[in-house]
């Protein structure tokens, strides 16, 4: 074990330090991964096509193609005006999923007209809230060059961001795609007798690049390509157009050509001023910290572009700040632990101070070696685990400093080794269920591996390295601390009083065992009840310096009017204290708002209240993220007819609003824009020699200008649109008089009526759906479902229609409840290890009896604070269960060493000798967790939960080991029978309370 040759041990230690440093430097600081099953978003655009036609021609064929891919667990489709968006969820992490989705989307795209845009496929999370967004301006304010902003963002910035590992959808607002618009002069075309469709066909046949075959020259083959493309859009003016008379005329004689950016789908502003906004969604495997760094690096590489960016939201930066706060807490915890170990070992020895940072350093290197990133969760696991693992160091130093010879040290280590192995084993085996959690393994497993690794490393350092450097007496850097500080008298007096209090607790518990057993049972039952009453909380907390809101207006309200209203709203918000910026994106009948604020001047809840209370004319403000004060649940109606689903959803919303549980109800759909429905007069059209396709083509040329083909050049594809130059017919009154021929107008061959088109059609797993969202206080979604169930049952459903309460939230709550099974497994594993080490089933049962009352205190604290049991708390209970048994192990082994216990005196004598290591080991575990209780940020919620349960649970386990264990020893004397083999207790003659 290195006792015989300290120099060789030091050399090995230095080699280990060097290797660990190399691993740590190569890895660098990491970020917390959001480990999810893969999911992708497929977006297909076909401008000018209404929602139902998009569903028929794009959404349903795309669903058919994607459904053939194995491993798909969920398929959600949204059809809107000119766009279909499909969210594809996979189960597991099988290879080739992206390629399969890409091939399916490409097959559907190839069946669509040339006016359809190529499919966009990105990895995506479920959330539509961006992880990074920025407002973009041109440095050159010259209006003549404003059209280049869309080209730069679409063709340079967006592709660069899409190549980043971890980036999902990239959304642009406030700018449109570059396009070429050919505006025909109707009179010039009519005078020459040429139709618009004929011009479109001739242009598409000329402006293209296609293979012309190949020729063989000897043993070589030469491929030929015919390039008929016009060099520039302006060159299209001279494109030859054949008239019906056979004459060739340039396109310029029939109209004009303009190169421009398409009118944007959304109008973006920053603090009321026009801007373009680029937003990056996270992928299903996003690492926010790394994604944020890569985005900043890409933007640095693009500094040569004439762009100015104002970052609105950066959740990766928040992750970095959370990581730095954990690093700070880790350093503080290490310093406190090092000082505590030095004090408990009798003075400030160099080896006792260095043992703590060495444990963390070696454990971090081992995690890196096994492929873990040193993120904030891993660091928290290391720091919280070292508080418990350093007990090994304390015991070894305490025992060996009294040994006078190498032989005596070796015998002492042989006696200590079984106990240290058993203590480490109980901590590690309790973490096995957490390391095998499945979908949450990347988050929870990081903490579990951190705690387990520190325990193993501490055991290795305690038995392998420390003995070589511990001499008798221990070399000290200064005199004992009470004497050095001049408070020896007060320290002694305090120690005596604490020792007397603990002694009274041990004796009283032995004398009144049934009372102690009753109190422990009541406390355990209360803890279980607290966990049940608290319920499961499955919400994800939002960003800490921004609020995302949606504003809904009456269906059909044009984006320009929405932009005016939402700009006034943004200016009003910007004037409030603490608001740094307000970014708005206006679209037809709705808008989105990103409110950035300074957390030092205001808080999240205040900004949310401000966003809701600030009036916006004709609009309704809805915040889709949960907060610390509320939760949002979705109720979905699925069936065959979307109108029936929406009717049921409206009835359900009225019923839900009447419940005192529900504070707000929101329909997740609305009526779309008004629509003019034109019916052909078939007989009249046949008599005039007109076809429905000709009438439709004429209408589209007059109103919209569809894409006739795509120009290919070095920068990619550019849509070429063909429309009539005049805008006389873009109003309702004049539309009826649109000339179809010199003597025929629209109203003579069609009948017109009005209705409304759907704003969007949502499908889930190939069935149409409509949904509502309800807002409640934080609580278990299953309780919300059960309380609303009577209201749901009153809704009359047609055959084949179903109502589902937030399927994802219910599944997450069920998974969280299964943490009880993981907790049970952890206790079973601990029982097996303890029973094998002590060779006594009775002793193992008594030791595990200390766990429920010890963990009841953090459970009751959670209930009294009004919190629910989230995944952080649930995992903390499982992780800490293996640590809380250590104090009980020490107490039981002390009684078995002294046993059989037959009187108060023998009990006191047994536990009095073990009291110093009991107190010191519990104290180091607690002080190692204290700095993590105060780290800020919602991102560190899991770490704070772990520290809370660790601190309260271990503190309570110390008291339980001095109360419940003596009581059970009195009621079950067989537990204290002396052992012939198994764990050998590690005796102590020194310690904090001696």
């Amino acid at each position: 074990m290195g006792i015989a040759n300290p120099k060789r041990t030091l050399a090995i230690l230095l080699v280990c330090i060097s290797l660990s440093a190399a691993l740590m430097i190569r890895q660098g600081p990491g970020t917390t991964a959001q480990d999810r099953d893969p999911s992708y978003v497929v977006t297909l655009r076909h401008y000018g096509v209404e929602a139902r036609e998009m569903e028929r021609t794009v959404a349903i064929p795309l669903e058919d193609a994607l459904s053939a891919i194995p491993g798909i667990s969920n398929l959600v489709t949204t059809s809107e005006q000119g766009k279909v968006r499909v969210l594809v969820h996979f189960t597991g992490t099988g290879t080739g999923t992206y390629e399969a989705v890409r091939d399916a989307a490409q097959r559907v795209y190839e069946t669509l007209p040339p006016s359809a845009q190529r499919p966009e496929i990105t990895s995506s999370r479920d959330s539509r809230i961006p992880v990074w967004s920025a407002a973009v301006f041109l440095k050159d304010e010259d209006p003549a060059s404003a059209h280049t902003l869309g080209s730069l963002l679409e063709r340079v910035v967006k592709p660069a961001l899409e190549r980043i590992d971890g980036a999902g959808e990239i959304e642009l607002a406030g700018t449109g795609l570059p396009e070429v618009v050919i505006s025909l002069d109707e009179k010039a075309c009519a005078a020459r007798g040429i139709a618009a469709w004929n011009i479109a066909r001739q242009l598409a046949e000329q402006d293209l690049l296609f293979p012309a075959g190949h020729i063989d020259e000897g043993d070589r083959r030469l491929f030929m390509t015919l390039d008929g493309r016009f060099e520039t859009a302006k060159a299209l003016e001279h494109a030859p157009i054949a008239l019906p008379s056979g004459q060739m005329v340039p396109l310029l004689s029939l109209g004009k050509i303009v190169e421009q950016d398409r009118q944007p789908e959304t109008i973006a502003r920053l603090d009321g001023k026009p801007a373009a906004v680029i937003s990056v969604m996270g992928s299903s495997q996003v690492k926010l910290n790394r994604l944020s760094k890569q985005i900043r690096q890409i933007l640095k590489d693009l500094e040569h572009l004439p762009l100015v960016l104002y970052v609105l939201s950066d959740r990766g930066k928040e992750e970095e700040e959370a990581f730095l706060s954990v690093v700070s807490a880790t350093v503080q915890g290490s310093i406190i632990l090092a000082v505590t170990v030095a004090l408990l070992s009798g003075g400030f020895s160099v080896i006792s101070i260095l043992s703590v940072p060495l444990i963390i350093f070696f454990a971090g290197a081992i995690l890196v070696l096994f492929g873990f990133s040193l993120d904030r969760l891993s660091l928290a696991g290391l720091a919280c685990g070292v508080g418990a693992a350093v007990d090994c160091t304390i015991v070894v130093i305490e025992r060996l400093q009294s040994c006078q010879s190498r032989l005596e040290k070796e015998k002492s280590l042989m006696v200590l080794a079984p106990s240290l192995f058993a203590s480490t084993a109980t901590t590690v085996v309790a973490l096995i269920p957490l390391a095998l959690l499945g979908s949450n393994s990347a988050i929870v497993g990081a903490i579990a591996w951190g705690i387990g690794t520190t325990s193993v490393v501490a055991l290795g350092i305690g038995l392998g390295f420390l003995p070589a450097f511990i001499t008798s007496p221990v070399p000290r850097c200064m005199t004992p601390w009470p004497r050095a500080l001049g408070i020896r008298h007060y320290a002694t007096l305090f120690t005596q009083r604490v020792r007397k209090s603990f002694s009274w607790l041990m004796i009283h518990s032995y004398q009144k065992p049934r009372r102690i057993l009753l109190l422990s049972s009541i406390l355990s039952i209360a803890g279980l009840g607290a966990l049940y009453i608290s319920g499961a909380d499955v919400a994800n907390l939002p960003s800490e310096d921004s609020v995302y809101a949606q504003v809904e207006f009456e269906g059909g309200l044009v984006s320009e009017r929405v932009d005016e209203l939402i700009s006034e709203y943004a200016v009003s918000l910007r004037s409030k204290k603490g608001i740094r910026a307000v970014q708005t994106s206006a679209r037809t009948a709705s808008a989105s708002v990103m409110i950035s604020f300074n957390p030092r001047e205001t808080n999240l809840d205040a900004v949310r209240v401000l966003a809701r209370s600030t009036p916006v004319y004709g609009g309704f403000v809805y915040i889709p993220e949960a907060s610390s004060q509320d939760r949002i649940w979705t109720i979905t109606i699925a069936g065959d007819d979307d109108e029936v689903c929406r009717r049921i959803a409206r009835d359900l919303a009225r019923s839900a609003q009447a419940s005192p549980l529900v504070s707000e109800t929101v329909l997740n759909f609305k009526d779309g824009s008004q629509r003019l429905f034109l019916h052909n007069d078939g007989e009249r059209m046949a008599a005039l020699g007109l076809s429905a396709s000709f009438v439709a083509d004429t209408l589209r040329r007059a109103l919209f200008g569809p894409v006739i083909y795509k120009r290919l050049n070095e920068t990619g594809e550019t849509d070429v649109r063909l429309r009539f130059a005049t805008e006389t017919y873009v109003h309702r009154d004049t539309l009826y008089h649109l000339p179809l021929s010199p003597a025929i107008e629209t109203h003579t061959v069609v009948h017109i009526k009005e209705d409304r088109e759907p704003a969007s059609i949502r499908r889930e797993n190939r069935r149409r759906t409509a949904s509502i969202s309800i807002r409640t206080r934080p609580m278990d979604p299953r309780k919300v479902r059960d309380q609303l169930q009577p209201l749901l049952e009153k809704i009359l459903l047609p055959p084949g229609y179903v109502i589902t309460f937030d399927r994802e939230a219910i599944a997450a709550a069920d998974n969280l409840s299964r943490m009880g099974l993981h907790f049970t497994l952890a206790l079973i594993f601990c029982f097996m290890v303890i029973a094998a080490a002590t060779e006594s089933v009775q002793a193992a049962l008594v030791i595990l009896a200390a766990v429920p009352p010890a963990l009841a205190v953090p459970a009751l604290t959670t209930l009294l604070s009004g919190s629910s049991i989230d995944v952080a708390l649930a995992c903390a209970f499982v992780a800490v269960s293996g640590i809380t048994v250590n104090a009980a192990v020490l107490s039981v082994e002390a009684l078995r060493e002294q046993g059989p216990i037959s009187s108060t005196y023998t009990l006191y004598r047994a536990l009095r000798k073990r009291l110093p290591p009991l107190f010191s080991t519990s104290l180091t575990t607690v002080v190692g967790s204290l700095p993590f209780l105060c780290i800020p940020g919602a991102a560190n919620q899991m770490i704070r939960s772990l520290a809370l349960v660790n601190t309260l649970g271990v503190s309570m386990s110390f008291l339980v080991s001095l109360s419940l264990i003596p009581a059970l020893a009195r009621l079950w004397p067989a537990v204290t029978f002396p052992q012939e083999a198994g764990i050998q207790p590690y005796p102590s003659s020194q310690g904090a309370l001696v």
Side-chain angles (χ1 to χ4, degrees):
M1 295 183 183
I3 297 177
N5 196 332
K7 293 183 179 180
R8 184 174 59 186
T9 304
L10 178 61
I12 295 174
L13 180 62
L14 292 176
V15 170
C16 293
I17 292 175
S18 302
L19 292 176
S20 299
L23 286 171
M24 302 276 274
I25 292 173
R26 187 182 66 178
Q27 171 69 22
T31 182
T32 304
Q34 307 296 320
D35 191 13
R36 296 179 175 89
D37 292 334
S39 60
Y40 302 93
V41 167
V42 182
T43 304
L44 264 168
R45 303 175 190 272
H46 196 179
Y47 297 109
V49 182
E50 56 105 13
R52 292 196 185 279
E53 185 65 12
M54 290 296 294
E55 179 192 34
R56 185 185 69 82
T57 59
V58 180
I60 294 177
L62 192 53
E63 287 177 346
D64 293 339
L66 292 172
S67 297
I69 303 174
I72 289 182
S73 61
N74 198 31
L75 200 62
V76 179
T77 308
T78 304
S79 302
E80 304 174 2
Q81 174 81 14
K83 183 173 73 172
V84 166
R85 181 179 184 273
V86 183
L87 179 61
V88 188
H89 291 271
F90 286 87
T91 300
T93 55
T95 59
T97 54
Y98 174 82
E99 290 77 9
V101 171
R102 179 196 60 196
D103 294 344
Q106 184 65 26
R107 289 196 299 272
V108 174
Y109 168 73
E110 291 172 355
T111 66
L112 300 175
S115 53
Q117 305 297 312
R118 289 190 177 276
E120 304 170 19
I121 306 171
T122 55
S123 178
S124 179
R125 302 188 302 170
D126 296 341
S127 174
R128 297 297 301 153
I129 299 172
V131 298
W132 184 91
S133 64
V136 188
F137 306 89
L138 278 173
K139 292 180 181 178
D140 184 4
E141 298 294 338
D142 183 6
S145 63
H147 68 277
T148 62
L149 179 60
S151 301
L152 289 173
L153 293 179
E154 277 288 345
R155 293 177 174 174
V156 181
V157 179
K158 183 177 179 181
L161 293 176
E162 287 176 336
R163 289 192 292 268
I164 296 177
D165 182 26
E169 292 179 88
I170 311 296
E171 293 189 351
L172 296 177
T175 184
L177 292 168
E179 64 179 5
V180 176
V181 178
I182 302 173
S183 300
L184 295 179
D185 185 334
E186 302 99 309
K187 294 182 179 180
C189 293
R192 290 171 170 79
I194 188 170
W197 64 266
N198 194 353
I199 298 175
R201 178 183 59 80
Q202 293 188 52
L203 286 174
E205 290 176 351
Q206 296 181 58
D207 192 13
L208 50 75
L209 177 72
F210 58 89
H214 64 270
I215 58 176
D216 294 331
E217 292 185 350
D219 58 350
R220 295 182 180 273
R221 173 165 293 181
L222 302 178
F223 291 93
M224 303 176 61
T225 300
L226 179 61
D227 189 354
R229 296 176 297 177
F230 296 94
E231 293 185 1
T232 63
K234 188 172 181 59
L236 283 172
E237 295 178 350
H238 306 290
I241 303 297
L243 301 177
S245 62
Q247 180 184 0
M248 302 294 291
V249 297
L251 179 60
L252 183 62
S253 66
L254 301 175
K256 61 180 181 179
I257 295 91
V258 177
E259 191 172 9
Q260 63 182 27
D261 285 349
R262 184 188 296 274
Q263 183 177 356
E265 298 178 358
T266 58
I267 303 174
R269 293 180 182 270
L270 179 64
D271 296 336
K273 301 177 182 179
V277 175
I278 185 165
S279 301
V280 180
M281 308 296 173
S283 71
S284 56
Q285 305 291 330
V286 64
K287 293 184 176 181
L288 296 179
N289 180 291
R290 186 175 301 170
L291 175 61
S292 179
K293 287 183 178 180
Q294 290 178 322
I295 290 175
R296 291 197 293 268
Q297 182 59 47
I298 289 294
L299 297 180
K300 184 177 180 180
D301 296 339
L302 299 177
E303 286 181 347
H304 63 281
L305 298 177
L307 298 176
V308 178
L309 281 84
Y310 181 89
V311 177
L312 302 170
S313 175
D314 188 349
R315 300 201 173 192
K317 188 175 181 180
E318 295 176 17
E319 179 81 11
E320 289 182 9
E321 294 174 352
F323 176 80
L324 293 177
S325 65
V326 173
V327 171
S328 175
T330 303
V331 173
Q332 295 174 30
S334 300
I335 294 174
I336 295 173
L337 271 175
V339 173
T340 304
V341 170
L343 295 177
L344 293 175
S345 61
F348 290 94
S349 63
V350 175
I351 190 61
S352 62
I353 293 176
L354 292 180
S355 62
V356 174
L358 282 178
I359 292 174
I360 294 181
F361 189 67
F362 287 157
I366 291 175
L367 287 179
V368 172
L369 184 63
F370 281 93
F372 285 89
S373 175
L374 288 182
D375 55 29
R376 53 188 174 81
L377 296 180
S378 299
L379 286 178
L382 292 175
C384 291
V386 78
V390 81
D391 299 348
C392 174
T393 303
I394 295 175
V395 171
V396 171
I397 295 175
E398 184 183 30
R399 177 62 184 269
L400 295 188
Q401 73 179 31
S402 61
C403 298
Q404 301 298 322
S405 65
R406 180 172 63 85
L407 184 61
E408 190 175 350
K409 287 184 180 181
E410 292 178 351
K411 290 182 178 180
S412 297
L413 287 179
M414 294 299 295
V415 172
L416 285 175
S419 292
L420 296 178
F421 274 110
S423 177
T424 302
T426 55
T427 302
V428 172
V429 297
L431 300 171
I432 294 177
L434 290 186
L436 303 176
L437 274 180
S439 62
N440 289 323
S441 59
I443 297 176
V444 181
I447 291 181
W449 277 88
I451 296 175
T453 304
T454 52
S455 299
V456 175
V457 169
L459 178 66
I461 290 179
L463 297 180
F465 293 105
L466 283 183
F469 305 107
I470 297 178
T471 60
S472 179
V474 178
R476 305 180 185 271
C477 300
M478 60 182 69
T479 56
W481 63 274
R483 183 183 306 171
L485 298 177
I487 56 173
R488 182 175 184 178
H489 170 72
Y490 300 103
T492 303
L493 183 62
F494 174 76
T495 300
Q496 290 175 351
R497 290 185 178 180
V498 172
R499 184 172 62 239
K500 288 180 179 180
S501 299
F502 291 153
S503 299
W504 176 87
L505 178 61
M506 293 185 293
I507 295 172
H508 180 77
S509 300
Y510 186 76
Q511 293 174 344
K512 307 288 185 179
R514 289 181 174 82
R515 181 182 300 176
I516 297 299
L517 186 60
L518 178 61
L519 290 176
S520 298
S521 300
I522 293 174
L523 187 60
S524 300
I525 294 173
L528 292 174
L531 293 177
Y532 177 79
I533 295 173
S534 297
D537 187 2
V538 297
N540 294 318
L541 294 181
S543 171
E544 296 178 293
D545 63 356
S546 63
V547 171
Y548 178 82
Q550 295 175 352
V551 184
E552 298 294 335
F553 296 89
E554 180 184 1
L557 189 65
V558 296
S559 58
E560 289 79 6
R561 179 56 178 160
V562 172
D563 179 51
E564 294 177 8
L565 297 174
I566 206 65
S567 296
E568 296 175 0
Y569 175 73
V571 171
S572 178
L573 286 176
R574 184 65 178 84
S575 64
K576 306 301 181 183
K577 180 181 178 181
I579 304 300
R580 293 190 300 193
V582 181
Q583 183 267 316
T584 60
S585 298
R587 59 189 66 86
T588 302
S590 67
S592 59
V593 182
M594 179 70 75
I595 309 169
S596 302
F597 62 90
N598 188 345
R600 295 183 179 89
E601 297 181 10
T602 185
N603 57 66
L604 179 65
D605 292 332
V607 175
R608 290 168 66 94
V609 171
L610 177 64
R612 290 196 185 99
S613 60
T614 302
V616 51
Y617 182 78
F620 168 74
V621 179
Y622 174 66
I623 300 177
E625 288 185 296
S627 71
S628 60
Q629 305 296 325
D630 57 28
R631 296 292 180 267
I632 299 174
W633 316 108
T634 302
I635 305 177
T636 304
I637 299 92
D640 298 325
D641 191 327
D642 59 304
E643 290 297 333
V644 176
C645 292
R646 295 183 181 197
R647 175 180 58 79
I648 297 172
R650 292 187 181 94
D651 295 340
L652 181 59
R654 285 190 289 268
S655 300
Q657 191 62 53
S659 172
L661 187 68
V662 179
S663 60
E664 183 182 49
T665 304
V666 177
L667 298 175
N668 295 330
F669 59 88
K670 63 182 178 183
D671 293 331
S673 305
Q674 287 185 325
R675 176 174 59 178
L676 297 179
F677 208 89
L678 281 64
H679 291 277
N680 295 330
D681 185 337
E683 295 182 1
R684 175 71 173 163
M685 291 179 62
L688 296 174
L690 300 176
S691 65
S693 61
F694 173 79
V695 175
D697 182 73
T698 304
L699 285 170
R700 296 185 71 197
R701 305 291 179 202
L703 300 178
F704 174 68
V707 176
I708 57 175
Y709 72 96
K710 299 180 186 296
R711 294 194 72 238
L712 296 175
N713 52 36
E714 292 75 10
T715 59
E717 294 182 344
T718 302
D719 288 344
V720 179
R721 295 171 54 203
L722 185 67
R723 60 165 300 158
F724 295 144
T726 179
E727 295 188 357
T728 303
Y729 305 109
V730 297
H731 305 288
R732 180 187 305 197
D733 296 335
T734 56
L735 176 66
Y736 301 150
H737 302 285
L738 177 67
L740 301 175
S741 70
I744 305 173
E745 294 182 344
T746 310
H747 66 90
T748 61
V749 294
V750 297
H751 304 292
I752 301 175
K753 71 174 184 178
E754 295 186 14
D755 65 357
R756 282 188 177 272
E757 68 170 358
S760 64
I761 302 175
R762 181 180 174 86
R763 297 166 60 89
E764 186 169 352
N765 295 326
R766 312 184 72 176
R767 300 194 71 193
R768 288 177 173 173
T769 62
S771 65
I772 66 172
S773 294
I774 60 174
R775 190 183 300 272
T776 69
R777 61 180 177 83
M779 60 188 304
D780 192 322
R782 292 166 299 187
K783 294 182 180 179
V784 180
R785 178 195 59 188
D786 294 342
Q787 294 188 36
L788 293 180
Q789 191 62 37
L791 298 177
L792 301 181
E793 293 175 351
K794 293 180 181 179
I795 304 296
L796 297 178
L797 296 177
Y801 287 75
V802 295
I803 298 178
T804 306
F805 183 91
D806 211 320
R807 185 185 297 110
E808 293 184 0
I810 296 297
D814 290 339
N815 290 335
L816 194 55
S817 294
R818 281 194 282 272
M819 280 292 182
L821 174 61
H822 295 298
F823 181 76
T824 304
L825 288 175
L827 293 183
I828 292 174
F829 292 155
C830 289
F831 171 79
M832 295 169 63
V833 171
I834 296 171
T838 61
E839 298 184 359
S840 171
V841 174
Q842 296 95 326
L845 291 176
V846 169
I847 291 172
L848 291 183
V851 175
L855 295 181
V857 173
L860 290 171
T861 302
T862 301
L863 177 63
L864 295 176
S865 65
S867 303
S868 297
I869 305 297
D870 56 12
V871 66
L873 272 174
C875 293
F877 277 104
V878 178
V880 175
S881 62
I883 300 176
T884 55
V885 303
N886 291 338
V889 168
L890 286 175
S891 295
V892 169
E893 290 306 319
L895 296 178
R896 299 184 74 204
E897 177 191 13
Q898 187 68 32
I901 302 299
S902 58
S903 65
T904 303
Y905 173 74
T906 54
L907 173 89
Y908 175 77
R909 182 181 177 184
L911 292 183
R912 168 64 183 82
K913 184 171 60 176
R914 195 57 55 85
L915 190 55
L918 263 175
F919 179 78
S920 60
T921 53
S922 299
L923 180 62
T924 54
T925 304
V926 171
V927 298
S929 300
L930 288 179
F932 295 92
L933 289 173
C934 303
I935 56 176
N940 290 321
Q941 176 63 36
M942 176 173 285
I943 299 172
R944 288 196 297 271
S945 299
L946 176 65
L948 175 67
V949 176
N950 199 30
T951 300
L952 295 179
V954 172
S955 300
M956 192 61 190
S957 70
F958 169 71
L959 297 177
V960 169
S961 67
L962 299 181
S963 56
L964 181 60
I965 300 302
L968 291 175
R970 177 68 181 274
L971 297 175
W972 199 354
V975 175
T976 65
F977 287 174
Q979 58 187 20
E980 297 179 358
I983 294 180
Q984 298 295 323
Y986 27 98
S988 171
S989 59
Q990 302 183 46
L993 298 178
V994 174

